[in-house]
Every structure is written in structure tokens, then in C-alpha cells.
Amino acid sequence: MAFNTWVVTCAAVIHRPRRSGGGIHSGPRGLSMSLRRVQAWTKRASTKRPRQFGCHVIEVSGLSKRYASRLAVDEISFSVGEGEVVGFLGPNGAGKSTTLRMITGFLAPSRGQVKVAGIDVDVDPIGARRMIGYMPEGVPLYPEMRVAEYLRYRAALKGVPRREVSSAVERSLDQAAVDDAADRIIGQLSKGYRQRVGLADALVADPPIVILDEPSSGLDPNQIRQVRELLRGFAGQKTVFVSTHILPEVEAICERVVIIHEGKKVGEGAPHELRQQFGGRHLVRLVGRGSLEAFRRALADVEGLREIVALEAEADRVRGTLEVDPNSDASEHVFTAVAAAGLLLRELHVEEASLEAVFGELTTSEEQADAGADVDADADVEERDPGGDPEDDSPEESV
Amino acid sequence: MRSTFVIASREVRSFFASPMAYVVLMVWTLWSGLSYYFFASLYAMNGSQAGTDTPLSSFFGGTILFFLPQLVFVPVLTMRLLADERRSGSLELLLTAPVSEVSVVLGKYLAAMVFWVALWLPSLLYVWITSRFGAVDMGTVAASYVGILGIGVYNMAIGLLASALARNQMIAAVMTFFFLGGLFLLGIGQYVFMDATRDILAYLSVWSHMQDFSKGIVDSRDLVYDGSIAVLALFLSVRALAARRDAA
């Protein structure tokens, strides 16, 4: 965690001079540079992911939403392929919920177009909604109803044939792990249960597309894991588009991420590729036994090693942090070099830059103060506490 | 079509699952029981002065005792319909399900009509009680119920429109109260003004409207009036619901 913070700080320090022309909006250089990188990446990705997902199930093009004087969503375009699990990432107030509401047809876009399974949401809203199971932010439910009763109502409303309602309700209760609460009154449920009733609602008509707004808020770690497993299980069967600002969640379940900030799309790609693209320094940490001198000699000329960031003796051990070339197998070279020098290695692991660093880089602008004000103004739409995640999902590789 | 019934039945079940339903029904039943008792004992004591009036005709629209409570009960029954969904956010779930705004509005309206009918069911008891002590013209009674249904058709539609416009159910209730109260006042104007104004106000008046029905006169102009106000209010409700998509 401390390391991630450190990387974010580093990234900020490294990139500040480049953006001195202005913020991510006004600074033509800063923006165009990162945009060019995104575009370059997107081009590569599209050639790399050829026919796996034949058609785009969600297609958003040039989507904008203006609230009175404020542009909440600004010319966003992206698409989600069939069977993909895609994360929609952005800080609070970035326009995530507004975008989801336009995709589901609850709000009309000011400009732009949304197609769901090839259906233009504006032309045939009901046809488009038939394809979607949606869980809005905050999961508004009818507090006076019982869980199973509510799901039967929703199934009927979504056009599940009468005879299949019971089995559909049972399936969704099971999928969302709320079968033990089927007969309880919604108003008396805990937030975590209500959240999962909302999830069951989204799944009850077995829709090909599932859109979830902050699905894991209010859940405890075990429930979060269950929801993630469920969503991961949908990969290849259902198209899942899930908004979140919890980064480990994205790492854990999404094949691809769309990042937005202040209404604009600022990044798109697979988590690991975004990490490579924007993640800052790649570090290898080691702990070994031997003298500091011997280690210094052994590491002097290792392939892919850029810099010895730190190397210090601690009793009979040596601890080191090395910056390596992200695209080399530097950790292997470090291992062989140390072994060849006859030294003992107790620990060696690659600390990949986290998605947090990417997120920090893409969504930190010079006008942080302004952004803060915006978040306040949008508080009624996007009010969430950050929901700390106890799991440490930062990927690491041990040798 | 199915979604209209699904929405209506959920609304009705939720209403009767809430304590408010029973408070409203109890207060209403007390009020109408008292006013029926009042007319019954009045005519029992001065039978000769009654003329063509009967306890039932007075009960169904002869006096202000019939109209006053409606100004309170209609707003209370309709204020939640859409305003509450909007406040709690469940409107988002309702309108992202594959249902049209028309079926949402019709479903809510159907539920409101069920509430209205539930309000008047106990009054059948008074008809039965009266028939045990004297002759009751069932044709007149049927006409009275047609009139009551007609009033419900447009009262509930106006309540629903207010609920579609307001975000807060109290505001919806106040809007309905003033609209219905205004119509009632305009109706009283027929006793104040002359000529054409008088005729227009008489046409708008719920009072003369109900006085006819309670005497067994079914005037199709009144039913057309009820129906057209209801259709207009429902149409505006659908538009209000659809317009929300473009708003902030």
C-alpha cells in the first residue's frame, strides 16, 4: 500500500513538468500525449483481439450529457464486446452513473448515441432494455415488500413468462446468494443484503447484458469475493459492464477497463496493459544473505536492470530494491546473477506497478481544487465512501 | 398490457401492506358513518320536510359532508404513486425495466382506482341498512355509484398528475388539494354568477353533478366531463414522466 502511494507520488512528480502547460483539459501537450498513448494502445488492442468477441454488444459513440450549466459527460465513445467483463472506472463525480443511466435509457443523452445489442436506445428503448439487467447505484428497492415477492414482481415486469417466474426467482436468489433471505422484508435487511437483492433483480430475467453501478459497496469482504466470483463466472456468457472506483475490484474481475475523469474518457485497455503503459517504475525487491559488497558486485551488470534504488545490510541479510526494464525478464537475470556469485537468495519478487498508479496518473489534473468542487456539486448523484478493500490484490510474482 | 397489471397489483399490495391504508380507511369509514347517521336521524325526525330527498341521496352528494373529505382523501391516496418512486430512486428501476411510460402511468392509475373503490365499498352497508327500514330505489343507488365512479375517474387522474410532477409527496398532495378545491369553488360560482358564466360553472361543478346522480339522473355530459379531464391528466402524466429523461 505504502509502495503504491509512493509510485503515485513518483508518477505525479515525473509527469508534472510535462503537464506544466496546464491541466489535463487545458494543457494541450499533456492531454495529447496521454491521448496519443491511449490511441496507440487501442489500435494495438483492436488488432490483437480480432474475432474473439464478434460483435459489439454495447456501443457508445460521442455520448454527452449536459446538466444545466455543467457538462457531466463529454463525448465518450467506447464499446463492449459480447461476453466481455469490462470495468468502468473513475473518481466520484466523474460521470459514471450518468453514463450508465444513458446506456440503460433512464436519461436521454444531450448528444451522441447508444446501441445495445445493435438496438438504438433512443429508437427502441423497450427493446434495448429487454437485453439489460441493471442495478442502479444505491439500489433503491421497495422496503415494504419481501425479497422473493419483489423478485417475482420484477420478473413479471421484465416479461418472464408466468410459468418460469418461480424458477427464475429461485435461480437469481441463488446466484446473488440471498436465498436465505427470500422471505424477509426488504426494509429490514442490512445494506449488504439489499445490495445483493439488487443484484438478484438485475439477473432475474437472465439478460445477456448486465450493467452494475458500484456493485460491491456495502458488502463485507466475503460478500465482495462472492460477487466477484459470480461476475467472473459470467465471462464468455454474459456481457458485464460494471462501474467502480475500487481498483482491486477491477484487477480482480475485468478483462478490460474504461477510465473516465471529469466526463471525459482518459484511458481504455486491459489492466495489465494499462499498467505497462502508464504505471511508472517497475521494481524488484530482494532479500539475500551475504555481504553488501558481494551483492553490489553481483548486481553490477545484470541484463534489464536499470538502477539499484536501494541496497542495505541488515544483520546478516541484505535488502535491495531494483528498478528494472518492464519488458525484460530482469528478475530471472537477477536470480542467476546472484546464484552465480554464490550468494543466497531468500526472497525475490516483482512489484508490478498497480492500477492505482495508472488511475492516479490518468485522473489527477492540475486543477485538483476545481475537481474537488465538482465532486461536491455532484454529491447527490455519486455519493459513496471509498469502501476500503481489505484484500491485497496487487499482483506479484514470486521466484 | 401485462406490465400495467403487474405494476397495479404491486401498488395495491404495497398499499394494503402499509399501516397508512388502514388509517385512511378507518378515518374515512368513521366520517362517512357519522354523516350517514346524521342524515338518517334527520329524516327519521322530520320525514315530512324531506321532499324528494332521502338519507341516501343526501349522503351521496347532497351536502358538503360528501365533498369536503374528498379534498383530503384523494391527495392522501394519490400522493405516493409516482412522487415516492422518484424520491426513493425506485423510479430508475421501474423505467429501466422493459415497460413504457404509458403502462407505468396506467398501472398506477388502475391501482388508484382500486383505492377509490375500496373507499366506497363500506357505503354499500348503508344502502343495505336503509333498505331494511324503508324502500330504497336501487336505480337511484346505481346512478349514485356511477357518479361516484365518475368523480373517482378524474380525481384520481389529477392526483396522479400531481404525483408525476412533484418530487415530494407532500407537494403532490398540496397540488391535488388546491386543484380539486379550486374546481369545487368554481362549481359554487354557479350560484353567484348569471347567464353563460353560470352555465359553464354549472358544467364544471362537482356539486350539481353529484346532486343529479344521487337523484338517479345519469347525465352523459357529466361522464364526458369526467372522462376528458382524466384522459388529459393521464396524458400529461405520461409526458411528465417522459420529460424527466431530458432533465437533470
Side-chain angles (χ1 to χ4, degrees):
Chain A
M1 196 59 221
F3 176 69
N4 290 339
T5 323
W6 181 77
V7 171
V8 174
T9 323
C10 278
V13 170
I14 291 165
H15 291 286
R16 189 129 308 184
R18 248 197 252 160
R19 284 195 186 141
S20 56
I24 200 159
H25 283 320
S26 51
R29 280 182 68 218
L31 177 62
S32 62
M33 279 190 91
S34 53
L35 269 188
R36 227 178 296 134
R37 281 152 81 189
V38 171
Q39 276 159 0
W41 186 86
T42 322
K43 212 177 254 175
R44 265 206 330 242
S46 56
T47 50
K48 246 171 63 187
R49 197 188 278 278
R51 294 282 165 263
Q52 194 184 353
F53 300 114
C55 71
H56 291 309
V57 172
I58 302 175
E59 260 188 280
V60 172
S61 42
L63 200 63
S64 300
K65 180 71 185 179
R66 180 176 286 282
Y67 286 134
S69 62
R70 198 170 56 89
L71 201 55
V73 174
D74 188 5
E75 295 278 330
I76 286 184
S77 301
F78 61 86
S79 53
V80 180
E82 190 178 350
E84 262 191 306
V85 178
V86 175
F88 193 38
L89 199 58
N92 283 339
K96 299 191 295 287
S97 291
T98 305
T99 306
L100 295 188
R101 283 172 171 170
M102 288 191 282
I103 295 173
T104 54
F106 183 63
L107 288 176
S110 307
R111 247 179 303 131
Q113 190 194 36
V114 179
K115 275 189 173 179
V116 172
I119 305 166
D120 189 327
V121 171
D122 204 38
V123 174
D124 179 10
I126 295 184
R129 290 178 210 158
R130 232 180 271 285
M131 314 300 291
I132 299 176
Y134 172 48
M135 186 181 99
E137 190 190 26
V139 201
L141 301 165
Y142 300 110
E144 71 279 3
M145 293 180 92
R146 289 177 195 278
V147 173
E149 179 192 13
Y150 173 72
L151 291 174
R152 273 197 302 276
Y153 155 70
R154 293 292 295 177
L157 197 63
K158 292 176 182 185
V160 174
R162 247 170 266 260
R163 251 172 292 155
E164 293 162 31
V165 166
S166 295
S167 58
V169 168
E170 242 156 74
R171 177 184 41 75
S172 69
L173 281 170
D174 189 51
Q175 280 177 319
V178 275
D179 31 3
D180 52 334
D183 294 324
R184 291 179 60 192
I185 291 172
I186 291 172
Q188 295 171 357
L189 294 176
S190 68
K191 190 163 183 248
Y193 262 106
R194 279 209 296 272
Q195 193 83 9
R196 284 179 292 152
V197 172
L199 188 63
D201 175 7
L203 299 172
V204 74
D206 202 18
I209 303 169
V210 178
I211 295 180
L212 308 172
D213 202 350
E214 309 265 0
S216 54
S217 76
L219 301 186
D220 70 32
N222 285 331
Q223 295 165 341
I224 290 177
R225 198 162 22 237
Q226 279 172 0
V227 168
R228 285 182 190 167
E229 270 161 25
L230 178 71
L231 295 184
R232 253 197 305 250
F234 286 150
Q237 301 165 25
K238 285 187 192 305
T239 304
V240 180
F241 191 54
V242 45
S243 96
T244 182
H245 57 218
I246 303 167
L247 292 153
E249 180 151 291
V250 173
E251 300 252 32
I253 59 178
C254 301
E255 301 153 35
R256 214 150 57 78
V257 189
V258 175
I259 302 180
I260 70 166
H261 178 50
E262 291 177 1
K264 288 191 170 67
K265 186 172 90 175
V266 290
E268 185 177 356
H272 68 276
E273 277 161 312
L274 281 174
R275 266 204 308 271
Q276 278 180 10
Q277 201 79 29
F278 301 105
R281 311 212 289 183
H282 286 240
L283 300 176
V284 171
R285 290 173 185 255
L286 67 82
V287 179
R289 193 136 38 133
S291 74
L292 197 59
E293 261 318 294
F295 266 95
R296 218 183 279 283
R297 265 202 308 279
L299 295 171
D301 192 24
V302 175
E303 199 188 328
L305 179 65
R306 280 184 184 164
E307 190 199 343
I308 299 177
V309 179
L311 197 63
E312 56 204 26
E314 194 179 89
D316 61 334
R317 293 184 192 163
V318 171
R319 259 174 212 286
T321 306
L322 319 170
E323 187 191 343
V324 298
D325 207 328
N327 299 316
S328 71
D329 298 315
S331 56
E332 288 171 24
H333 298 309
V334 169
F335 177 78
T336 36
V338 172
L343 298 162
L344 284 173
L345 206 52
R346 295 174 62 101
E347 264 178 46
L348 178 66
H349 74 129
V350 177
E351 199 133 354
E352 265 189 272
S354 71
L355 201 55
E356 256 163 89
V358 178
F359 187 68
E361 182 180 349
L362 290 176
T363 62
T364 314
S365 61
E366 299 273 306
E367 316 101 309
Q368 267 306 309
D370 281 357
D374 267 1
V375 170
D376 276 349
D378 208 19
D380 56 331
V381 185
E382 304 247 8
E383 202 167 49
R384 278 276 162 278
D385 46 335
D389 195 296
E391 289 172 278
D392 184 12
D393 280 356
S394 72
E396 33 187 69
E397 184 183 299
S398 298
V399 179
Chain B
M1 206 55 213
R2 182 187 171 200
S3 51
T4 300
F5 288 115
V6 170
I7 291 168
S9 87
R10 191 212 71 81
E11 193 68 40
V12 170
R13 267 181 293 143
S14 281
F15 179 69
F16 286 107
S18 74
M20 200 186 81
Y22 300 98
V23 173
V24 169
L25 283 176
M26 197 190 72
V27 174
W28 170 261
T29 312
L30 266 178
W31 176 281
S32 50
L34 272 175
S35 67
Y36 171 73
Y37 176 79
F38 172 73
F39 291 122
S41 31
L42 183 77
Y43 290 117
M45 284 185 290
N46 328 293
S48 55
Q49 291 171 9
T52 57
D53 286 334
T54 66
L56 282 174
S57 75
S58 297
F59 176 73
F60 290 126
T63 69
I64 199 164
L65 290 182
F66 175 85
F67 299 103
L68 215 52
Q70 285 174 26
L71 295 183
V72 175
F73 282 94
V74 170
V76 166
L77 287 177
T78 55
M79 64 185 187
R80 289 166 68 241
L81 291 172
L82 283 164
D84 201 40
E85 299 253 8
R86 189 186 278 239
R87 183 198 52 78
S88 75
S90 53
L91 193 64
E92 185 168 359
L93 276 168
L94 189 56
L95 292 179
T96 52
V99 294
S100 65
E101 276 103 2
V102 174
S103 35
V104 171
V105 166
L106 287 182
K108 295 282 180 180
Y109 183 59
L110 199 61
M113 286 311 293
V114 172
F115 303 160
W116 181 254
V117 170
L119 223 49
W120 288 99
L121 277 182
S123 70
L124 286 172
L125 267 180
Y126 311 148
V127 176
W128 178 72
I129 291 169
T130 318
S131 73
R132 296 204 52 195
F133 295 98
V136 171
D137 180 352
M138 285 304 168
T140 311
V141 170
S144 301
Y145 280 107
V146 169
I148 284 170
L149 204 63
I151 287 183
V153 160
Y154 88 83
N155 277 3
M156 290 296 162
I158 285 169
L160 180 59
L161 172 61
S163 190
L165 291 173
R167 189 178 294 268
N168 178 308
Q169 33 175 316
M170 282 321 292
I171 293 175
V174 170
M175 279 167 74
T176 313
F177 177 83
F178 277 107
F179 198 91
L180 294 178
L183 269 184
F184 184 69
L185 271 182
L186 280 181
I188 290 176
Q190 70 168 311
Y191 303 110
V192 180
F193 297 100
M194 295 292 172
D195 309 326
T197 322
R198 200 202 83 92
D199 291 343
I200 293 170
L201 294 178
Y203 180 61
L204 294 178
S205 166
V206 248
W207 194 315
S208 58
H209 186 133
M210 214 40 225
Q211 271 171 343
D212 285 351
F213 280 110
S214 66
K215 294 201 173 74
I217 305 164
V218 177
D219 189 337
S220 58
R221 282 177 306 176
D222 289 336
L223 295 179
V224 168
Y225 168 78
D226 296 341
S228 31
I229 291 201
V231 168
L232 180 67
L234 292 181
F235 171 76
L236 291 177
S237 305
V238 172
R239 298 310 306 156
L241 215 52
R244 176 216 44 82
R245 293 179 67 236
D246 295 307

